[in-house]
Amino acid sequence: MGLRERYRQLPSNPLRQGRRDVMIGLAGAVISGMDALAGVTRRVRLPEASDRTRVLRVVDRQTVAHDENVVALTFAAADGEPLPRWHPGAHIDVQLPSGRLRQYSLCGDPDLRDVYRIAVRRIPDGGGGSIEVHDVLDVGATATTQGPRNAFPLTVPGYGSPTKRFRFIAGGIGITPILPMLALAQRLGVDWSMVYAGRSRDSLPFLDDIAGYGDTVRIHTDDDSGLPTASDLLGDCPDGTAVYACGPAPMLTAIRSELAGRDKIELHFERFAAPPVVDGRIFDVTVASTGRRIRVGADETLLAALQRSDVDAPYSCQQGFCGTCRTRVVGVTEGTVDHRDTLLTDPEHENQMMLICISRATEGSRLTLDL
């Protein structure tokens, strides 16, 4: 099957002319909504190839930023079997040797069925996942994975999107899901441009890969040009543009604010950190196994409050889409749980399950958690 035929088979943009403000974790909800509108009843789905747990072996490791804080790892299946197909924007769940589960964007070539490539920046206070990748995953090391999954899919103009051009915006390590998108846009002959922002050129990974696109990509670094504004990042962004942005939360917030009211522009974005708490209220939780009581501030997540109090709880994405932090509420003395996820089902909510990375409780609530 040729490249163009493959992308004609991708699902069309479900929101068409409307502004598409796609947040991580929304894909399943969009699909469910499309089914409801079409009167479709989904039968029980058999496990797909991407649902299997696989053992991957590191077959190549390269330092891809001049500050030496970003490594790119290439994995192959330990059993030598072909890997599931993926499309730009996809990620895999990687269970590290310590048992930590993390999501990493695929940044290699989707047409290669024998290898996956990810890139990871070393973050000293990032919860240990990136440090373990840097210190433990040498060539020959193994990790178990599931996926790929895609919460940041690329909808190509002429292949499901009414837009005419792309504007790509990457902040630092946010280049990883964008890289395969650039290659596809170039191969399909779609009009596109990009700005790549970071603290300095030394901190930006994959500069050699980006250099091949010439003036289509503009580099903006804080040490040369100061912090970029939303206008700097968006550039000339006429109607009919699909904006794909990945990077830190302040950058994405500025872009969203700048595009408010621009109904003829699609905005798709992915963040690599927890979203800020909006309209939070103070509440208390008690750890059932120890009786320890912890107050959750209005501007912090429940997960962050537990970490601050040295209470160990499993987590991964911190954005409410992976389900790793699913926790049972075994008691509600006052108030109610404020569910803010789109992942758990209504029966799960009714059975007192919550995602502690994003959901919280109403003001003055007192929850008891089975941790």
Side-chain angles (χ1 to χ4, degrees):
M1 183 183 297
L3 183 67
R4 291 180 180 272
E5 286 71 23
R6 277 179 55 198
Y7 281 91
R8 283 195 180 95
Q9 294 184 3
L10 288 177
S12 60
N13 183 345
L15 302 186
R16 287 294 177 185
Q17 299 292 344
R19 177 167 174 257
R20 190 180 185 199
D21 211 12
V22 181
M23 298 181 69
I24 245 183
L26 191 60
V30 170
I31 292 171
S32 298
M34 292 170 65
D35 287 347
L37 291 172
V40 174
T41 300
R42 283 187 180 267
R43 292 182 172 86
V44 174
R45 181 180 62 85
L46 294 175
E48 298 178 354
S50 61
D51 292 330
R52 279 181 46 200
T53 297
R54 289 176 174 78
V55 177
L56 298 186
R57 191 178 307 278
V58 180
V59 295
D60 187 60
R61 174 182 169 122
Q62 297 180 5
T63 300
V64 292
H66 292 164
D67 66 4
E68 300 186 350
N69 284 330
V70 182
V71 295
L73 303 179
T74 301
F75 294 100
D79 59 9
E81 292 294 315
L83 296 168
R85 188 179 297 281
W86 59 281
H87 295 290
H91 69 271
I92 55 174
D93 305 320
V94 179
Q95 186 167 21
L96 301 171
S98 67
R100 294 184 178 96
L101 183 69
R102 297 292 184 267
Q103 278 77 36
Y104 296 111
S105 295
L106 292 169
C107 58
D109 184 347
D111 287 334
L112 298 179
R113 298 294 306 279
D114 57 340
V115 292
Y116 287 155
R117 183 176 72 164
I118 65 171
V120 182
R121 176 175 294 283
R122 187 183 186 98
I123 303 175
D125 57 351
S130 69
I131 294 175
E132 185 173 356
V133 169
H134 278 250
D135 292 349
V136 176
L137 291 188
D138 295 319
V139 172
T142 59
T144 58
T145 66
Q146 285 188 327
R149 301 182 178 88
N150 203 332
F152 189 39
L154 183 72
T155 307
V156 181
Y159 301 86
S161 172
T163 56
K164 301 177 181 178
R165 66 192 65 82
F166 287 130
R167 176 64 168 182
F168 296 109
I169 303 170
I173 196 63
I175 188 64
T176 50
I178 300 291
L179 268 181
M181 297 183 181
L182 304 183
L184 177 59
Q186 188 79 354
R187 292 165 66 184
L188 290 177
V190 179
D191 182 19
W192 67 273
S193 63
M194 175 182 166
V195 62
Y196 187 13
R199 298 186 306 275
S200 66
R201 291 186 70 91
D202 284 348
S203 71
L204 296 178
F206 297 114
L207 279 181
D208 291 342
D209 298 56
I210 294 297
Y213 295 115
D215 294 339
T216 312
V217 176
R218 183 171 66 86
I219 305 295
H220 184 115
T221 58
D222 300 349
D223 57 354
D224 282 341
S225 307
L227 289 172
T229 64
S231 296
D232 293 330
L233 297 170
L234 290 164
D236 181 14
C237 195
D239 290 349
T241 300
V243 178
Y244 281 79
C246 185
M251 182 187 87
L252 300 177
T253 299
I255 292 170
R256 294 177 69 189
S257 298
E258 184 74 9
L259 292 179
R262 296 288 303 274
D263 293 335
K264 295 183 179 180
I265 291 179
E266 290 185 2
L267 173 60
H268 311 249
F269 65 90
E270 181 173 75
R271 55 167 63 93
F272 278 175
V277 175
V278 177
D279 297 330
R281 298 290 186 269
I282 296 174
F283 65 99
D284 294 325
V285 297
T286 300
V287 180
S289 60
T290 65
R292 184 173 182 183
R293 185 171 172 177
I294 298 166
R295 173 147 293 185
V296 182
D299 59 351
E300 67 177 342
T301 66
L302 171 51
L303 174 62
L306 294 173
Q307 292 175 322
R308 166 175 55 77
S309 303
D310 294 324
V311 175
D312 188 28
Y315 74 94
S316 183
C317 74
Q318 302 182 69
Q319 300 174 72
F321 79 89
C322 75
T324 303
C325 68
R326 183 187 279 105
T327 300
R328 182 176 298 281
V329 181
V330 294
V332 180
T333 304
E334 297 176 18
T336 58
V337 177
D338 177 12
H339 293 290
R340 299 189 174 194
D341 68 278
T342 58
L343 177 71
L344 299 184
T345 63
D346 288 340
E348 285 178 303
H349 288 161
E350 292 166 4
N351 284 306
Q352 301 300 322
M353 301 300 293
M354 71 180 297
L355 298 185
I356 60 175
C357 73
I358 194 167
S359 294
R360 41 195 310 110
T362 55
E363 186 169 12
S365 295
R366 296 173 61 186
L367 309 182
T368 301
L369 304 180
D370 179 10
L371 289 168

